[in-house]
Amino acid sequence: MSVTAAQGFAASGLHCGIRRKKPDLCIVRSLEPAVGGGMFTRNRVKAAPVLLNQSHLAQTEPQAIVANSGVANAATGERGKLNALATAAEAARLLELDAEQVLVLSTGVIGVQLPMGILLPALPTAVDALSPDGGADAAVAIMTTDTRPKEKAVECDGFTVGGMAKGSGMIHPDLATMLAVITTDYPLEPGEPASLLRPAVNETFNSITIDGDCSTNDTVLLLANGTSAVERTAESDKQFADAIMEVCDALSREIVADGEGATVLATITVSGAVDDAQARAIAQRIAISPLVKTALFGHDPNWGRVLVAAGSAPYEGRYADLDPECVSLSYNGTVVLRAGSPEDVRPDVSGPSCTIDLDLGLGDGRASYLTSDLTYDYVRINAEYTT
Amino acid sequence: MSVTAAQGFAASGLHCGIRRKKPDLCIVRSLEPAVGGGMFTRNRVKAAPVLLNQSHLAQTEPQAIVANSGVANAATGERGKLNALATAAEAARLLELDAEQVLVLSTGVIGVQLPMGILLPALPTAVDALSPDGGADAAVAIMTTDTRPKEKAVECDGFTVGGMAKGSGMIHPDLATMLAVITTDYPLEPGEPASLLRPAVNETFNSITIDGDCSTNDTVLLLANGTSAVERTAESDKQFADAIMEVCDALSREIVADGEGATVLATITVSGAVDDAQARAIAQRIAISPLVKTALFGHDPNWGRVLVAAGSAPYEGRYADLDPECVSLSYNGTVVLRAGSPEDVRPDVSGPSCTIDLDLGLGDGRASYLTSDLTYDYVRINAEYTT
């Protein structure tokens, strides 16, 4: 269901030949006038579609999205920008929209030009295939090294929020090679989609990491077409915000769980920090540590590595302050370090998920991060992923 | 030869039983009154020996060093501090020194107490074994996951600089699980060892990374006993500084080349940056990127990953500024990206070493970083390394 779960949306997904076999092109459109907004990677190297979308969103409200997998259209110079624009313009012509009403998403290899001779001729077929049942096809078409599509829909009182996402490598704030499209029939005003996305994205897509690399293409888009005609109240707004959070949370968890080669899902929580920002910096540092992540793979409660990472977390231009004698640490609820002294225990970390709780004993700051383990398969996938 | 290459130094190394089989205890001492200094990890969680050494160096000049492998004596609370002090005190008694004249180095597992019942009784044997030929034994005794000892000596006009180091995982500025001891018979004044180490360490040990993790124990020590009786001149001082740099450079290169599971050694150079500090931040970000490191393992010139890393390098609290349209990139001298546009080439990266040159096209800032690839063996070693 995903992006077509809400009323008044249609989608399609097909194989046009950018990738050898799997579906690689999709369209999502609103059947009624919609408002939309997005959040984008903060990487200094932004892919052509990211720049195009930021420009289009500044001009008008988006009505449709064209997405391809296989080629990221990043580091492609002037030609890459023209290709992104040509994709939007041709889709707009077929959909009877203005070019600025179409957004473009690309994911895949960097530094390779989009094969326009393959992509453009496939757009009419993709437009013809648009259907209110096309969400599942679209979710498959945006996958790259993902092993499964990522979809989520939440039904609320009189309206629906649905979404799809892709991403399993190069996943890290801010947003990585992570694409997500969320649609709703809840009525929103222009400008609201972007501002309503931010808190949800910060708590979810921006609190996950697989390999610490943050990509050139990361994008989360929200389209709202108001088709549900539900009456907005403070209560329904709250329900909508919760639904957005729930969809973002589910999709971001699926991304980490499907992290390249992942076998263990770990939730790192830092509490007792000076403030939430410090907690977040330390949680992130632990979540990206290759030594912590390989220990997770080995089901080894090698908790010293968590301390090593925590003690060297960059924060405000230096390592985050902490007092080793105040620090306590638990694995799956078993205390291994209490106020700086080790306990003579060996926690059970044999399962496929693990919680690591670090209490700095300094204040009330708190943050959580979701990460996966670093495995042979992660190395295999990323050593073999061809340029 | 290493730490006993210079005149007036003796060393020993033996197996006392902290580790199951390999040598795990060593002593290095100056046979003449020496001056010394060190550089230590900036991790907020500092091992007991690091704290002890900082305290001892503030009180007097060091004459001897006791080092053990197998247990890091980090995250060991009050008892760990007492154990470090007891080690120094017992060695001092046997060597007829004050406890403050003895420094202590430990490397190995974090969160485990030193087995003092094994360590202390072995110290008399280690003292008896001290010999001007003992450098090689000492270099073996400090190894952990290292596959080979790391030694280097430089003969100058009338004096010698020699050193040993260990480290092959958890290697990252500032200094990681990296121990290095450098000795010289060049005459130095009190305070000079620490200040002369700094520039050399920053260029060498602080410009390497294996896994981005920075340990609780990292230490570089320099002992100088003036036994050579060479006359100091501006020229000899220059020669000495060069020799220190050469020893640090050789040892740090050996550390990366012996990085856990490493098969490829890569030199990342960032030029054209706003300043050297910006170049360094970006070079470091590239050097720790798991995606760059797995591509090195796969001998895959997947250069988009270098851009991804460069574009998300933390610098001064945000991502380092760069203009994607000014960036050029080469692999082994072959230009793959010129002023933001990709070239249609596939560079040869089949060899065991690789140079990656990123020119930001902004200014004169420049920095280099040395890194290794991320391999199956890295994962194996770190997933299996027992707690």
Side-chain angles (χ1 to χ4, degrees):
Chain A
M1 292 295 287
S2 69
V3 290
T4 48
Q7 291 177 59
F9 288 94
S12 64
L14 53 77
H15 175 244
C16 76
I18 304 172
R19 297 190 49 145
R20 211 169 308 164
K21 286 185 177 169
K22 76 162 281 299
D24 49 16
L25 180 65
C26 75
I27 297 179
V28 176
R29 82 164 297 186
S30 175
L31 301 170
E32 303 293 334
V35 297
M39 287 184 72
F40 300 94
T41 184
R42 288 205 299 244
N43 197 303
R44 297 290 180 186
V45 181
K46 291 177 176 57
V50 169
L51 298 171
L52 182 89
N53 293 343
Q54 290 177 328
S55 161
H56 282 190
L57 284 169
Q59 296 172 58
T60 186
E61 296 297 332
Q63 306 302 317
I65 299 162
V66 180
N68 76 274
S69 57
V71 167
N73 194 6
T76 45
E78 204 51 43
R79 198 170 134 209
K81 289 182 191 173
L82 293 174
N83 286 344
L85 182 58
T87 305
E90 175 62 4
R93 189 183 68 78
L94 295 164
L95 294 166
E96 297 179 354
L97 297 169
D98 295 332
E100 293 72 23
Q101 293 178 302
V102 177
L103 305 181
V104 173
L105 300 174
S106 293
T107 175
V109 179
I110 297 172
V112 172
Q113 299 292 353
L114 274 176
M116 299 304 285
I118 291 172
L119 196 158
L120 292 183
L123 284 175
T125 316
V127 169
D128 287 347
L130 282 168
S131 150
D133 300 321
D137 288 345
V140 168
I142 57 171
M143 289 165 57
T144 55
T145 52
D146 307 63
T147 65
R148 47 188 185 266
K150 294 160 185 71
E151 303 174 83
K152 176 72 180 179
V154 174
E155 303 279 338
C156 303
D157 295 339
F159 66 94
T160 300
V161 177
M164 66 179 185
K166 65 80 49 179
S168 73
M170 217 183 271
I171 292 301
H172 188 65
D174 302 297
L175 301 182
T177 296
M178 199 276 303
L179 302 179
V181 177
I182 300 166
T183 56
T184 183
D185 45 21
Y186 192 69
L188 295 180
E189 299 298 317
E192 284 191 309
S195 61
L196 291 172
L197 267 182
R198 182 161 298 112
V201 169
N202 284 341
E203 286 274 306
T204 58
F205 293 115
N206 271 345
S207 292
I208 61 176
T209 186
I210 290 172
D211 48 25
D213 274 307
C214 159
S215 105
T216 50
N217 293 58
D218 306 332
T219 303
V220 180
L221 297 176
L222 170 61
L223 262 72
N225 66 9
T227 307
S228 68
V230 71
E231 187 105 10
R232 277 181 77 167
T233 61
E235 195 185 341
S236 74
D237 276 2
K238 172 78 172 59
Q239 200 178 26
F240 176 72
D242 289 348
I244 286 280
M245 183 71 82
E246 187 178 345
V247 168
C248 289
D249 185 59
L251 292 174
S252 63
R253 281 179 185 275
E254 281 187 56
I255 286 173
V256 181
D258 194 25
E260 286 173 346
T263 69
V264 173
L265 190 65
T267 305
I268 318 284
T269 301
V270 173
S271 61
V274 171
D275 52 33
D276 289 353
Q278 192 210 24
R280 186 172 158 80
I282 293 173
Q284 179 181 331
R285 183 69 192 77
I286 296 166
I288 67 170
S289 162
L291 289 169
V292 170
K293 289 160 69 72
T294 45
L296 287 171
F297 176 47
H299 295 278
D300 181 357
N302 196 332
W303 54 265
R305 296 177 177 181
V306 172
L307 287 192
V308 166
S312 58
Y315 183 60
E316 295 180 340
R318 58 205 189 98
Y319 290 158
D321 276 323
L322 59 83
D323 179 348
E325 319 225 330
C326 296
V327 169
S328 297
L329 180 62
S330 303
Y331 271 64
N332 288 334
T334 301
V335 178
V336 293
L337 186 78
R338 195 184 301 274
S341 289
E343 301 274 315
D344 191 16
V345 292
R346 190 177 168 89
D348 179 6
V349 292
S350 58
S353 67
C354 179
T355 61
I356 298 177
D357 294 293
L358 182 71
D359 182 350
L360 302 181
L362 298 176
D364 292 328
R366 186 186 180 87
S368 280
Y369 236 82
L370 211 58
T371 191
S372 57
D373 55 340
L374 175 54
T375 69
Y376 296 124
D377 273 354
Y378 177 85
V379 174
R380 183 184 55 73
I381 292 165
N382 286 295
E384 292 180 358
Y385 191 81
T386 188
T387 53
Chain B
M1 291 297 286
S2 70
V3 290
T4 48
Q7 292 177 54
F9 288 93
S12 63
L14 53 77
H15 175 242
C16 77
I18 303 172
R19 296 189 48 142
R20 210 170 308 163
K21 285 184 178 170
K22 77 162 280 297
D24 50 15
L25 181 66
C26 76
I27 298 179
V28 177
R29 81 166 296 184
S30 175
L31 302 169
E32 303 293 333
V35 298
M39 288 183 70
F40 300 94
T41 183
R42 289 206 299 245
N43 197 303
R44 297 289 179 187
V45 181
K46 290 177 176 59
V50 169
L51 298 171
L52 182 89
N53 293 343
Q54 290 177 328
S55 162
H56 282 191
L57 284 167
Q59 296 174 57
T60 186
E61 296 296 332
Q63 307 302 318
I65 298 160
V66 180
N68 75 275
S69 58
V71 168
N73 195 6
T76 45
E78 204 52 41
R79 197 169 136 207
K81 289 182 191 171
L82 293 174
N83 286 345
L85 181 58
T87 304
E90 175 63 5
R93 189 183 68 78
L94 296 164
L95 295 167
E96 296 179 358
L97 296 168
D98 295 332
E100 293 73 23
Q101 293 177 300
V102 178
L103 304 181
V104 173
L105 300 174
S106 294
T107 175
V109 179
I110 297 171
V112 172
Q113 299 292 353
L114 274 176
M116 299 304 285
I118 291 172
L119 196 160
L120 291 183
L123 283 175
T125 316
V127 168
D128 287 345
L130 282 168
S131 151
D133 301 320
D137 289 344
V140 168
I142 57 171
M143 290 164 57
T144 54
T145 52
D146 307 63
T147 65
R148 47 187 185 267
K150 294 159 186 71
E151 302 174 83
K152 176 72 179 177
V154 176
E155 302 280 339
C156 303
D157 297 338
F159 66 94
T160 300
V161 177
M164 66 179 185
K166 66 80 47 179
S168 72
M170 218 184 268
I171 292 300
H172 188 65
D174 302 295
L175 301 183
T177 296
M178 200 275 303
L179 303 180
V181 177
I182 301 167
T183 55
T184 184
D185 44 20
Y186 191 67
L188 294 181
E189 298 299 318
E192 284 191 310
S195 62
L196 291 172
L197 268 182
R198 185 162 294 113
V201 169
N202 283 341
E203 286 274 308
T204 58
F205 293 115
N206 271 346
S207 293
I208 60 177
T209 185
I210 291 173
D211 49 23
D213 274 305
C214 158
S215 104
T216 50
N217 293 56
D218 306 333
T219 302
V220 181
L221 297 176
L222 171 61
L223 289 183
N225 65 9
T227 308
S228 67
V230 71
E231 187 104 9
R232 277 181 77 165
T233 62
E235 197 185 339
S236 73
D237 275 4
K238 172 76 171 61
Q239 202 178 25
F240 176 72
D242 289 348
I244 286 280
M245 183 70 82
E246 189 179 343
V247 168
C248 289
D249 185 58
L251 293 175
S252 63
R253 280 179 186 278
E254 282 187 56
I255 286 173
V256 182
D258 194 24
E260 286 172 346
T263 68
V264 174
L265 190 65
T267 305
I268 317 283
T269 301
V270 173
S271 62
V274 171
D275 53 33
D276 288 354
Q278 193 210 23
R280 186 172 158 78
I282 293 174
Q284 178 182 329
R285 183 69 191 76
I286 297 167
I288 65 169
S289 161
L291 289 168
V292 170
K293 290 160 69 72
T294 45
L296 288 170
F297 175 48
H299 295 278
D300 181 358
N302 196 333
W303 55 265
R305 295 177 178 180
V306 172
L307 287 192
V308 167
S312 58
Y315 182 60
E316 296 181 339
R318 59 208 187 99
Y319 290 159
D321 275 323
L322 60 82
D323 179 349
E325 318 225 330
C326 296
V327 169
S328 297
L329 179 63
S330 303
Y331 269 65
N332 289 333
T334 300
V335 178
V336 293
L337 186 78
R338 196 184 301 275
S341 288
E343 301 273 315
D344 190 17
V345 293
R346 190 178 167 89
D348 180 5
V349 291
S350 58
S353 66
C354 179
T355 62
I356 297 177
D357 294 293
L358 182 71
D359 182 350
L360 302 182
L362 298 176
D364 293 326
R366 187 184 179 89
S368 280
Y369 237 83
L370 211 58
T371 191
S372 57
D373 55 341
L374 175 54
T375 68
Y376 296 124
D377 274 354
Y378 176 85
V379 175
R380 183 184 54 72
I381 292 165
N382 285 295
E384 292 179 0
Y385 193 81
T386 188
T387 52

